[in-house]
Amino acid sequence: MTPAARYAASVDVLDGFLSGEPAEKLLSNWARRNRYAGSKDRAAVRDIVFDCLRKLNSYAQASGLPDGRGIAVGHCLSAGLDPDQIFSGVAYAPVALDDAEQALIAAAQASGGQQVVDLPDWLQSVFETDLGATATKVAQDLCHRAPVDLRVNVAKTTPSGAARALAAEGIMCDPVADVASALRVVENPRRVAGSKPYQSGQVELQDAASQALVGMLDLQAGQSVLDYCAGGGGKTLAMAARVPDARYSAWDISAARLAPLEERAARAGAKVTLLAEKPSKATYDLVLVDAPCSGSGAWRRNPEGKWRLTQDKLAEVQAMQAQVLAEAAQLVKAGGTLVYATCSVLERENTSQVKTFLRKTTDYEVVSTHNLGLNCPGDGFYCAILKKQF
């Protein structure tokens, strides 16, 4: 595919997204309809679309056009490409820009534009309330691509050994400062899933902030550990790799989300019990609650999330967080540890939830709290470690 043809495909996906369709579904459907497109073409179209989703407002302002064509024009301008060369109408290129579009683009470029925050208006207000003076910077940081991080399974290899094995397949990595288990892929990230180190369970895809969270936990051999709201079990496996001799259980309200953990655990050589029924007894030394959240700390990876989130959905998520935190607290033994975590940068999902919880209970006290900002060391993350007194 030519660069122009890639933009034409991206315009179709963007228009579908603006009409309410999920971006991943649109990209999958496009790939099925266009089987001639090679892996590099699919990756290029995906990159254009996701870059546009990160900067919808900025790219629309740059072109003066709020539709898929206009957002793609904004992407062209940002990439230093001449929109007339891309939107030429030749072969598989997008239809040529008409006089009205050309006039709007020229006017937008002449105006120089004002600072645009790539968030819905209502969400920008939430950021300003929760993040104060850092709101704009955090929103801007979320517009950049996230790094690809790997967790080295230290039960099978060492970080240096994994790095050498990956390098033998052309996948170059750097260590991540202060996160001993983490490698950051700097060349050929798309080869990871097919590599021998990944297939053999030596490495897993996992953001460095999630790994840093596991490093904060006081895990001990022989403990009974529950990953509540485990999802696919990434943190379960990280804990099991760090302290293999603890007893790990995982539960999630969605059996479908939890199901892949069985195969992943086998590949990693980890022993994990997948619970078919919701736990109900205080039998655990440590319970990790990776709570449902806005996902705002990970919007670099899932930029669609910031445009699909609504005020009602955010309120529902906050209510769910309070519920799962209260439920998980009932599962911890006296003297045990409760860990509340989110991949959110919003105070209302983090500190406020913990403060509300502590006002309603007398048997927990805070041991420590941790706000991991974007790039420190990975996604935005929050963690509160609580001790059950009796």
Side-chain angles (χ1 to χ4, degrees):
M1 294 174 68
T2 63
R6 290 171 173 176
Y7 272 97
S10 301
V11 168
D12 288 343
V13 173
L14 289 167
D15 280 333
F17 171 82
L18 293 172
S19 70
E21 291 292 315
E24 289 287 1
K25 177 182 176 182
L26 290 162
L27 286 164
S28 295
N29 288 345
W30 171 78
R32 281 195 294 269
R33 292 193 307 270
N34 298 276
R35 296 189 181 278
Y36 64 86
S39 60
K40 290 184 178 179
D41 294 319
R42 295 194 299 272
V45 171
R46 182 183 180 84
D47 284 347
I48 292 171
V49 168
F50 272 69
D51 284 346
C52 288
L53 295 184
R54 293 183 186 98
K55 293 189 173 184
L56 277 181
N57 289 348
S58 295
Y59 289 162
Q61 184 198 59
S63 69
L65 301 165
D67 59 3
R69 281 169 63 81
I71 293 164
V73 167
H75 188 280
C76 285
L77 293 167
S78 176
L81 301 175
D82 181 355
D84 287 326
Q85 296 296 315
I86 299 297
F87 289 74
S88 65
V90 176
Y92 296 102
V95 173
L97 298 165
D98 61 29
D99 291 343
E101 289 175 318
Q102 293 277 18
L104 287 169
I105 294 167
Q109 290 294 290
S111 72
Q114 298 178 350
Q115 186 180 52
V116 173
V117 176
D118 286 288
L119 296 170
D121 290 343
W122 75 268
L123 192 52
Q124 182 177 349
S125 296
V126 169
F127 266 53
E128 290 169 352
T129 298
D130 282 24
L131 300 174
T134 65
T136 298
K137 183 179 186 306
V138 173
Q140 291 172 340
D141 288 344
L142 287 168
C143 292
H144 300 290
R145 294 185 190 182
V148 175
D149 293 338
L150 303 175
R151 177 181 57 79
V152 177
N153 183 356
V154 293
K156 285 196 168 187
T157 187
T158 62
S160 59
R164 287 193 298 271
L166 289 161
E169 299 190 39
I171 304 164
M172 309 307 295
C173 302
D174 289 335
V176 178
D178 300 322
V179 186
S181 61
L183 294 174
R184 181 153 293 164
V185 182
V186 294
E187 288 184 30
N188 297 316
R190 289 190 168 94
R191 294 185 187 177
V192 169
S195 70
K196 290 180 180 178
Y198 181 84
Q199 295 291 336
S200 65
Q202 293 181 52
V203 296
E204 287 267 356
L205 288 162
Q206 189 173 42
D207 178 68
S210 291
Q211 298 181 54
L213 162 65
V214 172
M216 298 171 189
L217 305 182
D218 184 19
L219 296 168
Q220 302 291 334
Q223 284 182 327
S224 179
V225 178
L226 171 64
D227 190 351
Y228 198 73
C229 306
K235 293 181 183 65
T236 315
L237 295 178
M239 291 188 290
R242 187 178 149 215
V243 181
D245 295 332
R247 304 187 308 278
Y248 296 97
S249 299
W251 182 82
D252 195 274
I253 194 170
S254 169
R257 279 200 300 266
L258 188 62
L261 178 54
E262 184 173 9
E263 180 181 340
R264 294 179 69 192
R267 186 173 67 229
K271 295 181 180 180
V272 180
T273 300
L274 276 61
L275 301 180
E277 296 184 0
K278 190 174 184 177
S280 59
K281 296 181 180 180
T283 59
Y284 298 97
D285 297 295
L286 186 149
V287 176
L288 169 62
V289 183
D290 188 5
C293 68
S294 64
S296 52
W299 280 344
R300 296 181 300 176
R301 303 177 192 281
N302 179 29
E304 181 170 358
K306 62 183 176 181
W307 306 110
R308 297 305 191 212
L309 186 67
T310 66
Q311 289 172 290
D312 287 344
K313 287 180 180 177
L314 181 56
E316 289 172 7
V317 164
Q318 290 173 249
M320 193 179 306
Q321 289 164 350
Q323 178 183 338
V324 298
L325 182 54
E327 291 174 352
Q330 302 302 312
L331 306 176
V332 182
K333 292 179 181 178
T337 301
L338 175 64
V339 183
Y340 174 77
T342 76
C343 57
S344 173
V345 297
L346 300 178
E347 190 272 347
R348 66 193 63 197
E349 297 184 82
N350 298 335
T351 305
S352 288
Q353 287 286 11
V354 173
K355 287 181 177 179
T356 300
F357 168 75
L358 290 173
R359 283 198 297 268
K360 295 179 178 179
T361 183
T362 59
D363 52 352
Y364 278 93
E365 68 174 14
V366 176
V367 175
S368 62
T369 61
H370 308 268
N371 267 301
L372 303 181
L374 292 169
N375 302 313
C376 299
D379 290 343
F381 224 89
Y382 172 83
C383 170
I385 301 174
L386 312 173
K387 179 71 73 173
K388 188 171 186 178
Q389 300 303 298
F390 49 85

